[in-house]
């Protein structure tokens, strides 16, 4: 075999290895988006619970009607019983008002369990990737940290994804922990997530297994308007490191910034609460290095044209969701979403249920 043919075979194999490595990393990023959305839904539900139990006043509600003055509610005869003035011989005890009922104590802790299923299909340069994900989560919230109405929430999440393309299959289990603080309309959260990807290749190129760890921080504020309409701007950053099997050797990293907003409302249908929502965000990879990253990277020892994928690192994500609160303790939701980033388009949906106590 001539030197040129050997170089061609090596380049083809290297490009195939890069393609699979990049797409397994993409499968991890799809799972990260699913888990991130699950956590976002949990935190939204917790905040709605807190405000619904009147632990905190809704933030920024605009009122258009003046409150009644005390004189408007006062009986001009000085009594609420028009016959009391005639009861000269009656015992005053008969006309003593009963004490108002004592409101039940507001729980200082909230707990929740969640089960979510998702399906996504990604269009990439090597062929479509189908990814199915199942997520389970448990959350606990302590109400009353610095004030009587703020809250601190911890969410533990476990997920497992199955990805398939014509020339490989990948499984990705992961675990994450989230700490979030809520005070009225303001909320912030921080998530640490770790994942392991095992690849079975049916093509000519054997793809290596990999692992990754990511850190995501977000901050948002919810503005409430009349007719139960709200707008919630949000901004955040995600930093991801990719390693060989079981966090052995670091092979690359990337930093993503994202910003957007969520808008929604709620309405009553019979005895249920319906909450339709729309959200959109702009995503940008501001820094990346190594192999198998979103947007590509150079393979050591080969020309950049072989190992690098030319792709735009600016993209976006949009979603539509309907949440249904069936009882004060049980709710479900369905969502459709689409993401475009680094030349890859992903569309999919997810459905979940939540029980709280």
């Amino acid at each position: 075999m001539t030197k040129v043919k050997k170089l061609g075979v090596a380049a083809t194999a290297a490009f195939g290895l890069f393609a699979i490595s990049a797409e397994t990393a993409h499968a991890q990023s799809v799972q990260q988006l699913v888990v991130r959305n699950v956590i976002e839904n949990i935190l939204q539900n917790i905040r709605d619970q807190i405000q619904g139990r009147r632990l905190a006043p809704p933030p920024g509600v605009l009122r258009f009607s003046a409150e009644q003055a005390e004189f408007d509610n006062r009986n001009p005869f000085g009594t609420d019983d028009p016959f009391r003035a005639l009861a000269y011989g009656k015992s005053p005890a008969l006309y003593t008002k009963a004490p108002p009922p004592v409101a039940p104590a507001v729980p200082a802790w909230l707990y929740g369990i969640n089960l979510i299923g998702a399906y996504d299909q990604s269009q990439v340069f090597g062929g479509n990737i189908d990814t199915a994900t199942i997520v389970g989560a448990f959350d606990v919230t302590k109400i009353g940290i610095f004030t009587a109405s703020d809250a601190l929430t911890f969410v533990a999440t476990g997920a497992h994804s199955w990805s398939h393309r014509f020339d490989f299959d990948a499984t990705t289990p992961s675990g994450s922990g989230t700490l979030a603080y809520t005070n009225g309309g303001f909320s912030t959260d921080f998530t640490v997530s770790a994942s392991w990807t095992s690849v079975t290749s049916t093509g000519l190129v054997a793809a290596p297994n990999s692992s990754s760890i990511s850190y995501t921080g977000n901050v948002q504020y919810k503005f409430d308007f009349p007719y139960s309409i709200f707008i919630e701007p949000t901004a955040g950053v995600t930093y991801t490191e990719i390693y060989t099997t079981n966090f052995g050797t670091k092979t690359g990293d990337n930093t993503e910034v994202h910003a957007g907003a969520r808008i929604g409302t709620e309405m009553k249908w019979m005895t249920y609460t319906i909450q339709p929502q729309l959200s959109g965000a702009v995503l940008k990879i501001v820094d990346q290095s190594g192999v198998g990253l979103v947007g590509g990277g150079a393979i050591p020892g080969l020309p950049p044209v072989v190992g690098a994928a030319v792709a735009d690192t600016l993209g976006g994500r949009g979603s539509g969701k309907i949440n249904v609160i069936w009882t004060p303790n049980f709710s479900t939701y369905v969502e459709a979403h689409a993401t475009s980033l680094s030349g890859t388009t992903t569309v999919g949906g997810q459905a979940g249920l939540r029980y709280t106590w």
Side-chain angles (χ1 to χ4, degrees), residues 147-231:
T147 69
S149 59
D150 64 350
L152 190 66
T153 300
F154 174 74
V155 184
T157 307
H160 198 106
S161 293
W162 297 265
S163 298
H164 172 76
R165 200 183 68 174
F166 69 93
D167 60 345
F168 82 93
D169 292 284
T171 59
T172 306
S174 73
S176 64
T178 300
L179 194 62
Y181 175 74
T182 303
N183 191 350
F186 172 81
S187 63
T188 183
D189 57 86
F190 180 75
T191 300
V192 178
S193 178
S195 64
W196 299 259
T197 298
S198 178
V199 182
T200 301
S201 177
T202 59
L204 298 177
V205 180
N209 298 334
S210 64
S211 55
S212 70
I213 185 168
S214 65
Y215 310 87
T216 300
N218 297 293
V219 61
Q220 46 269 324
Y221 194 92
K222 180 183 177 186
F223 296 92
D224 285 342
F225 296 93
Y227 307 106
S228 301
I229 296 174
F230 71 85
I231 297 177

Side-chain angles (χ1 to χ4, degrees), residues 25-39:
H26 172 72
Q28 293 173 342
S29 69
V30 168
Q31 187 191 72
Q32 288 177 5
L33 287 174
V34 172
V35 173
R36 184 189 306 173
N37 195 46
V38 168
I39 294 171

Side-chain angles (χ1 to χ4, degrees), residues 300-316:
L302 291 175
V305 69
V306 175
V310 179
D312 189 7
T313 60
L314 180 65

Side-chain angles (χ1 to χ4, degrees), residues 101-137:
V102 178
V106 175
W109 295 86
L110 294 176
Y111 304 90
I113 52 175
N114 311 265
L115 182 63
I116 300 93
Y119 172 80
D120 294 271
Q121 185 177 78
S122 304
Q123 297 179 352
V124 296
F125 57 83
N128 292 343
I129 301 178
D130 298 304
T131 302
T133 305
I134 186 169
V135 184

